[in-house]
Every structure is written in structure tokens, then in C-alpha cells.
Amino acid sequence: MVFRHTSVLLEETVNGLEVKPGGIYVDATLGGGGHAFEVCRHLSDKGRFIGIDQDAAAIEAAGERLSGFGEKVTVVRSNYCDLKPVLHSLGIDKVDGIVLDLGVSSYQLDTAERGFSYRADAPLDMRMDQRQELTAKDIVNTYSEQELFRVIRDYGEDRFAKNIAKHIVTEREKNPIETTGQLNEVIRRAIPMKFQKNAGHPSKRTFQAIRIELNRELEVLRESLDTMIDMLNPGGRICIITFHSLEDRIVKSAFRKNENPCICPPHFPVCVCGNVPKGKVITKKPILPGEEELAENSRSKSAKLRIFERC
């Protein structure tokens, strides 16, 4: 299957970066290379672009798409949590801009055997990086009922998390749950029918929760943001596109903390903690897709773009 992914908030993200022709830019979630291609178009021969992704299919597709830009482009298969050592290995200490698009690609969702989608029956996989041994099947069949409840409650924010976890454990005692179709049926039985009619697909939140847990998505995001901001040159920007409230909360909080890191009590007349602001939040409110993009790409509906500039 050809790697296909429609880049969300493309123009807004590239404009938000304020690309300098001779600058160094990173797309740390390269995907199909949509944002990357537009950034590279703005670079002169002195500019440099580094694309990072942990998905082998994305690396192959983006590498092909960006091949026309020659030696100014370097593509690396890695997780963005390793951005600092990846850049250091390339002799780079600071960059002028970073893009993070935290969405699951259309390719990953539409390739049934990857196991991301609840709309097709396939093996329970969900690995962003297929070099990883742990799969969604392992989580569903080995986590305790309490652990499953925590994952579905915290990462899926599903009101029926407790009942879904209970049904999963009961079902797997009879037979292992090995496919997305089997898991769908278990979740369907765990949610009262009256709540299924107008609430979208019953499996949506649980599948999201398991995927986040398996790929450590929120941990990686939380642990990486400060380092990314530290790696920006003065005036450099980081643009982050999130797709659900958990991610957005982490980004919003990290940006706010780096803009105003003071931890002194409010009644202190002057700051004595010594924490210095690293920059400023450019987007006081997130940038959302316009009506035209929403009409063309329904998957952009929950996207939010936030931008931070290093001082």
C-alpha cells in the first residue's frame, strides 16, 4: 500500500515556523513528508532539513518525496525523544525550527494489518515502531484488570472504563483476544446500547488508550518538550499539532511553564527563584483548521496547533 497522509494545518504550520532560507529545521514526526516538503521549498542551498520518524514505511515514503532537495535533507529512523543525540550525531547543536504532528497517519489507520483501526478486523498490533516487541495484543492479554482500567480511564477518558476492563479480562480467560474484531465485540458488550447510538464508535476511546500506552505517547511528549525548546536558536520556533485533549494539555502547560517559569509565591514583591523565561507563547489560543480543510479532511476535526518562540 502506498504511504498516504494528508498533512493537517499545513499552511498555518509552515507560516508559524517563519522559515529562514539558510536555517536548520527538523520535522520530528516526519510521516509522509507533507510539512517537510513545504519547509524544504523555503530553504536555500545553505539551509538544512532533518526528518525523523520511527515508522519504516514513513521513512521510505518521505525519503522518496524529499529526494529532489538533495543533500540539504537528512532522514533518520528514530523516536523524537532521541532528537538531541540524533542531531549531535549530525554535528548540530541548535536548530531554527521544529515541527511535531502528533496524529496517527492515514497510512497507519488505513493499513489494516497495522492494527490501529477499529474499522477493520486485523491482528492487534498498534506499534508505531515495528522493531518494538510489545504489541497491543500483549497489553490486552497480560495487563491486570486494574491496569487496563487505568489505561482506558486515563488515556481514553471513557466513562465505561471499569466495565470494559472487566469484560476484557472475562473474555480472555476463555480465549486470548488476538484481533481488533474480537476486541471490538468485547467493548461493544461492555457499553450499554443506549450510550452507543449517538456517541460515535464504541471502540474509539479504548483503541486510543491502548495505542497511547503501547507507544508511550504522552510520556515521550512530556519528557521531550523542554529539551526541544532548549535546542532552539534565539528566535527559533516549535510548532506542535495535537489531536486530543491529553496531548494539548501537556503542550499548553509546557509552553506556559517555559514562558513563565517563576515559582515564587504570588505575594513576593520580586522574583528570587532565579528561573528565567526561555521564550514566549505565540498562540495564546490554538490555531484550528478552517472550514475548507474540515470539508476536505474530516480527520483534521480535532487538530490544534500551538507555537512557541525561543528568546
Side-chain angles (χ1 to χ4, degrees):
M1 182 176 178
V2 177
F3 195 105
R4 184 181 60 80
H5 181 60
T6 304
S7 297
V8 173
L9 292 163
L10 179 59
E11 188 178 334
E12 293 87 345
T13 301
V14 177
N15 288 343
L17 278 177
E18 293 191 339
V19 179
K20 303 180 183 77
I24 303 173
Y25 292 86
V26 178
D27 187 334
T29 50
L30 187 58
H35 291 105
F37 189 89
E38 288 304 310
V39 172
C40 288
R41 284 203 318 118
H42 288 74
L43 295 178
S44 68
D45 291 340
K46 293 181 180 178
R48 192 162 182 195
F49 179 86
I50 296 90
I52 298 171
D53 205 292
Q54 58 187 331
D55 191 309
I59 290 293
E60 184 180 348
E64 195 174 311
R65 186 170 187 177
L66 302 174
S67 60
F69 295 105
E71 293 183 357
K72 72 173 73 166
V73 172
T74 305
V75 175
V76 181
R77 186 179 181 189
S78 187
N79 189 304
Y80 69 79
C81 66
D82 294 321
L83 177 64
K84 191 170 185 176
V86 165
L87 291 182
H88 282 176
S89 74
L90 298 171
I92 299 169
D93 287 324
K94 300 280 184 182
V95 300
D96 297 293
I98 299 171
V99 175
L100 278 186
D101 175 349
L102 299 174
V104 181
S105 72
S106 299
Y107 170 83
Q108 289 167 329
L109 288 170
D110 295 339
T111 306
E113 59 265 30
R114 296 295 298 268
F116 284 100
S117 177
Y118 43 78
R119 300 191 185 279
D121 192 18
L124 269 172
D125 192 329
M126 299 195 199
R127 291 172 296 170
M128 297 281 192
D129 186 341
Q130 291 183 300
R131 295 171 298 186
Q132 176 181 314
E133 290 186 12
L134 190 74
T135 68
K137 183 178 81 170
D138 298 318
I139 288 175
V140 169
N141 288 285
T142 65
Y143 273 32
S144 69
E145 185 175 330
Q146 186 59 35
E147 286 173 318
L148 286 169
F149 166 58
R150 171 191 62 80
V151 169
I152 299 166
R153 177 197 63 195
D154 292 355
Y155 298 159
E157 299 181 295
D158 197 308
R159 64 191 292 190
F160 299 106
K162 198 170 189 66
N163 207 33
I164 294 168
K166 182 180 177 183
H167 274 67
I168 288 172
V169 171
T170 301
E171 182 64 28
R172 76 189 191 196
E173 285 172 355
K174 304 174 200 168
N175 290 295
I177 300 170
E178 298 184 334
T179 69
T180 55
Q182 286 176 280
L183 183 57
N184 267 331
E185 283 306 309
V186 175
I187 295 167
R188 205 181 293 277
R189 291 197 296 269
I191 299 176
M193 189 55 69
K194 65 178 181 180
F195 292 102
Q196 292 188 33
K197 290 178 181 176
N198 301 311
H201 199 288
S203 296
K204 183 177 181 180
R205 291 176 180 273
T206 298
F207 271 60
Q208 172 184 293
I210 293 169
R211 191 200 78 224
I212 288 172
E213 171 73 9
L214 174 67
N215 296 290
R216 298 182 57 248
E217 292 175 34
L218 300 185
E219 291 169 61
V220 168
L221 180 63
R222 199 177 285 113
E223 292 166 5
S224 302
L225 286 173
D226 287 352
T227 301
M228 288 185 167
I229 289 171
D230 286 343
M231 297 198 73
L232 291 171
N233 280 319
R237 290 186 168 191
I238 180 168
C239 297
I240 304 182
I241 303 168
T242 62
F243 287 84
H244 54 76
S245 60
L246 299 170
E247 292 171 338
D248 187 57
R249 237 174 276 155
I250 292 170
V251 173
K252 182 180 178 181
S253 173
F255 282 5
R256 189 185 291 151
K257 185 190 76 177
N258 279 280
E259 181 180 56
N260 183 20
C262 178
I263 56 172
C264 296
H267 62 273
F268 274 30
V270 293
C271 173
V272 294
C273 71
N275 291 335
V276 179
K278 292 180 182 177
K280 61 182 179 180
V281 178
I282 300 300
T283 48
K284 298 305 177 186
K285 288 186 176 179
I287 297 170
L288 307 177
E291 287 183 19
E292 188 178 333
E293 180 168 10
L294 288 169
E296 291 176 1
N297 181 13
S298 61
R299 286 174 177 166
S300 70
K301 187 170 70 170
S302 56
K304 293 180 178 179
L305 169 64
R306 294 187 186 271
I307 304 169
F308 185 91
E309 181 179 290
R310 189 83 159 94
C311 63

